[in-house]
Amino acid sequence: MSNEAIAQQFLELADLTDFVGDSPFKSRAYRQAAQVLESLQTPIETLAENGVDALAALPGIGEAIAEKILAYLRTGTIPKREELLQKVPAGVLEVMEVPGIGAKTARLLHEQLGVHDLASLRNALLSGAVDRLPHFTPRKRERLLRLVELKHKSQRRTPLGLALPRGRELQQAIGALDGVQQAMLCGSARRMQEDVGDLDYLVASDAPQTVVEAFVRLPAVAEVYAQGISRAQVFLKDGMQVDLKIVPPERWGAGMLYLTGSRAHSIRLRQRAIERGLKLNEYGVWRGAECLADDTEEAVYAALGLPYIPPPLREDTGEIEAAEQGRLPTLVALGDIRGDLQSHSHWSDGLDTLETMAQAADALGYEYLAITDHAHQFTTREAFEQRRRAIEQLNQRTGGRPYLINAVEVNILPDGSLHAPEWMLHAAEFVLAGIHEAHGQPPTEMTARLIRALEHPAVDALAHPTGRRYGKRPPNDADWEQVFERARVLGKAIEINGYPTRMDPPTPIARLLLQSGAWVCLGTDAHAARDLQAMELAVGLAQRAWATPERILNTRPLKALLQWLNDRRQSV
Ligand code: DGT
Ligand code: CA
Ligand code: CA
Ligand code: ZN
């Protein structure tokens, strides 16, 4: 249990107390307790071990509150809070969290308009029903509506590729605020999760209050939803939610670990601490009141008898066991990537010329770039020949820096045959096959279709295996283990696609892919030079799949890659 979690319970208890109209002295005491708990730097459990008196010695904590803390530590809840929740719909708590809605307004809204959660509040605001309430000015209605709409919209998840650039920009802005020693984007974005709910920042500072006040005034901030002594929750202009948490500089590592999560990973670490007679919280690893580790993540893991676990692995999907046994993978890194194996030029549907694509690839330090224009867009053999010559000439002119691979991406038709003439498939140096139509077939058909495509002698790799598109299309269903096993036997590659709205295959399937032992190729599916930046997303996804460099085709130098392609051509 974190101090923060129990502080939250006291805040809710205070809101509920006000809502039912119990003594305002009580709710004030609960809020004060929440503040004390939030700024307390040792795990509350540690103090609780010495009984009620030790707790009651804290400023602002009397015996009654100390008892509540003990009950919470025993049962995971404060009994009084549960008792009040019998009388009040649970959703009222989120209504009272909206800035500007106090207990009095919440009660009016509930009694007169049946508002019992955020959704019903939103309806009452949208329909104008709230205008019937006393003192409910149109201005107040507009303001609340804006906040509630932001909260509503923030429930949508944002693809990592859109969240990350914005997240880094904001990290810079936060890092430049007065009093900030370090600022870091944590949460799911740091774990490179394919989509993120909100952005979480950890800040190291000795002047939390100053930082909070400056943070909520940043130009990017549209609305402040919550503001505390060492934390804030705001919305950006585009509706994205941002959480900020400030810790003293010496607690940096423990704070990072906490705020990076995932929740499941943190829970396992806490259990591990307890098994060793220790406590882990957002401030460090503790033996009693003694802090054993807090300043770096490495130190915190070490205090728990573990090596550093990279963020993309922190999902409680075997990483703790692997760490214990010393078999954590040495993850592939962006710096290992020597080229991009999927991109499009203006010869098909790309925006940029071969030259521009080559320059951008060179700027990234690549040795090679596969130009995988869509096969079906070459209507004549002459057109394809023209592109081949253009690629050759450019390679000559640049001395092969980078070397453009004369490649093609071919549609897999519903029956698994390929939508391209045989001569083209054989003329290309690298053939990617992918599904662009007839999505959503039943799994057995889809499996057979993908395997048939892989079995075509000219095919080198399967592009964006599940076909998912964020907000548009769910992943196709297939027997992925069977598909990947077939690829392994055939010596072919399966793509991990980093195009921001694709990120394909999703983590669990990508994990199966890496377990299969098949070759993997990373591609951005760039349709413009700037899209080549998405390689970091493909690498992030590969890391979440536990990928090491060895099985990834494009960690190989050009010569070895061409050798691989050549060997495969000889063997057919
Ligand atoms: P998201 O935002 O839905 O993409 O996912 P996360 O992982 O960023 O989750 P979020 O934003 O709710 O919280 C950020 C991190 O803070 C989370 O990964 C772990 C930590 N955290 C937040 N609340 C709790 C909690 O109640 N218990 C624990 N153990 N950790 C928490
Ligand atoms: Ca988050
Ligand atoms: Ca959050
Ligand atoms: Zn494609």
Side-chain angles (χ1 to χ4, degrees):
M1 304 289 173
S2 75
N3 293 0
E4 200 170 281
I6 179 164
Q8 177 65 26
Q9 289 251 327
F10 272 105
L11 289 178
E12 292 178 3
L13 177 57
D15 280 345
L16 291 168
T17 304
D18 285 340
F19 188 88
V20 298
D22 204 347
S23 152
F25 294 106
K26 283 192 186 165
S27 59
R28 201 174 308 150
Y30 297 147
R31 288 205 173 85
Q32 198 184 358
Q35 279 216 353
V36 171
L37 286 163
E38 205 194 310
S39 47
L40 190 69
Q41 306 260 317
T42 46
I44 189 69
E45 297 101 309
T46 304
L47 293 173
E49 274 162 14
N50 299 326
V52 179
D53 292 346
L55 289 175
L58 287 168
I61 303 230
E63 207 167 300
I65 287 189
E67 290 291 358
K68 289 186 168 56
I69 294 173
L70 288 177
Y72 175 83
L73 292 174
R74 271 196 311 272
T75 64
T77 171
I78 301 174
K80 183 77 188 170
R81 177 178 170 277
E82 297 309 300
E83 185 192 314
L84 291 176
L85 275 177
Q86 296 297 310
K87 302 182 198 156
V88 178
V92 162
L93 282 170
E94 59 187 31
V95 171
M96 282 189 285
E97 263 184 32
V98 179
I101 298 190
K104 228 155 105 195
T105 310
R107 206 162 51 222
L108 267 179
L109 284 164
H110 183 234
E111 281 163 5
Q112 312 254 331
L113 305 174
V115 167
H116 60 279
D117 59 9
L118 271 190
S120 50
L121 172 63
R122 182 165 174 259
N123 289 337
L125 290 164
L126 282 170
S127 69
V130 289
D131 294 344
R132 276 182 277 145
L133 299 182
H135 313 302
F136 222 99
T137 62
R139 230 181 108 207
K140 179 164 180 172
R141 173 170 163 261
E142 285 309 310
R143 183 182 151 66
L144 289 177
L145 190 56
R146 204 162 60 238
L147 285 167
V148 169
E149 287 296 3
L150 280 167
K151 193 79 188 165
H152 182 71
K153 267 196 252 163
S154 77
Q155 275 150 19
R156 272 185 254 158
R157 304 186 66 80
T158 307
L160 180 66
L162 304 182
L164 214 47
R166 209 173 312 153
R168 291 201 177 119
E169 219 172 281
L170 190 56
Q171 178 176 304
Q172 283 235 312
I174 297 171
L177 295 176
D178 269 353
V180 173
Q181 297 194 8
Q182 289 192 80
M184 178 75 136
L185 177 58
C186 296
S188 50
R190 183 164 178 242
R191 302 197 312 275
M192 298 297 278
Q193 192 167 301
E194 300 103 286
D195 56 4
V196 308
D198 67 355
L199 300 173
D200 304 281
Y201 291 92
L202 185 74
V203 160
S205 174
D206 287 319
Q209 197 71 58
T210 319
V211 174
V212 168
E213 278 161 21
F215 168 73
V216 299
R217 284 199 301 269
L218 279 172
V221 171
E223 292 286 350
V224 180
Y225 205 78
Q227 185 175 344
I229 356 170
S230 60
R231 65 194 165 87
Q233 182 170 90
V234 302
F235 293 103
L236 303 182
K237 297 213 166 77
D238 58 15
M240 188 124 198
Q241 182 180 307
V242 178
D243 286 348
L244 177 79
K245 181 170 171 60
I246 300 160
V247 294
E250 64 275 16
R251 309 288 196 207
W252 179 250
M256 290 254 283
L257 189 63
Y258 172 77
L259 204 59
T260 299
S262 68
R263 237 162 266 231
H265 179 80
S266 299
I267 288 170
R268 286 290 308 277
L269 293 181
R270 274 162 204 242
Q271 283 168 351
R272 190 177 170 87
I274 291 167
E275 284 158 19
R276 302 175 163 232
L278 306 172
K279 295 263 154 56
L280 168 67
N281 74 351
E282 63 266 43
Y283 302 113
V285 179
W286 303 77
R287 177 177 289 124
E290 180 199 1
C291 181
L292 303 183
D294 56 357
D295 57 341
T296 65
E297 284 186 322
E298 283 83 353
V300 174
Y301 279 116
L304 300 174
L306 293 172
Y308 176 81
I309 300 177
L313 300 185
R314 299 183 194 169
E315 299 289 350
D316 188 22
T317 50
E319 74 280 9
I320 292 175
E321 290 76 6
E324 267 173 352
Q325 297 157 17
R327 40 173 198 83
L328 279 175
T330 306
L331 293 179
V332 62
L334 188 54
D336 297 328
I337 303 301
R338 297 173 187 253
D340 194 323
L341 289 174
Q342 180 168 188
S343 74
H344 302 263
S345 76
H346 75 159
W347 284 92
S348 67
D349 56 348
L351 295 181
D352 287 317
T353 60
L354 294 173
E355 286 86 343
T356 308
M357 295 301 286
Q359 277 165 11
D362 187 41
L364 292 172
Y366 285 164
E367 291 176 38
Y368 48 86
L369 173 67
I371 305 287
T372 53
D373 284 316
H374 296 282
H376 63 92
Q377 285 179 335
F378 296 96
T379 46
T380 65
R381 192 163 183 159
E382 181 46 27
F384 191 72
E385 271 302 302
Q386 271 179 17
R387 191 193 68 150
R388 184 184 60 76
R389 280 196 298 274
I391 288 176
E392 265 172 24
Q393 281 162 11
L394 188 59
N395 281 339
Q396 265 166 21
R397 217 166 66 221
T398 61
R401 281 192 188 167
Y403 177 79
L404 294 191
I405 300 171
N406 177 27
V408 73
E409 180 184 16
V410 53
N411 278 355
I412 302 171
L413 296 170
D415 66 354
S417 61
L418 302 179
H419 187 194
E422 286 292 318
W423 61 260
M424 190 190 290
L425 297 174
H426 290 284
E429 286 176 280
F430 175 63
V431 176
L432 258 182
I435 287 181
H436 298 87
E437 63 193 62
H439 289 275
Q441 284 173 327
T444 43
E445 269 169 59
M446 188 56 83
T447 306
R449 177 184 184 184
L450 293 171
I451 287 179
R452 186 168 168 212
L454 277 170
E455 283 172 343
H456 189 291
V459 168
D460 297 301
L462 174 63
H464 38 69
T466 78
R468 72 136 155 208
R469 295 301 291 260
Y470 272 106
K472 271 202 196 151
R473 199 165 58 215
N476 288 323
D477 209 351
D479 183 338
W480 297 110
E481 275 156 309
Q482 208 182 323
V483 172
F484 300 156
E485 171 59 13
R486 196 73 198 117
R488 187 191 65 78
V489 169
L490 291 164
K492 304 202 171 184
I494 306 281
E495 183 187 58
I496 292 183
N497 185 300
Y499 195 78
T501 54
R502 284 194 184 269
M503 294 294 273
D504 189 9
T507 298
I509 300 174
R511 186 86 190 269
L512 287 178
L513 168 57
L514 266 296
Q515 284 163 350
S516 76
W519 284 103
V520 175
C521 56
L522 303 190
T524 61
D525 212 341
H527 281 68
R530 63 167 183 278
D531 295 345
L532 291 173
Q533 302 287 346
M535 186 55 79
E536 71 165 329
L537 303 176
V539 170
L541 185 48
Q543 291 174 332
R544 290 175 62 77
W546 295 45
T548 61
E550 293 78 43
R551 290 313 280 179
I552 296 184
L553 217 43
N554 36 333
T555 60
R556 312 198 120 199
L558 175 63
K559 232 176 113 187
L561 176 72
L562 293 177
Q563 188 66 52
W564 185 88
L565 289 169
N566 213 29
D567 288 350
R568 305 213 28 271
R569 296 245 162 335
Q570 312 255 301
S571 66
V572 299

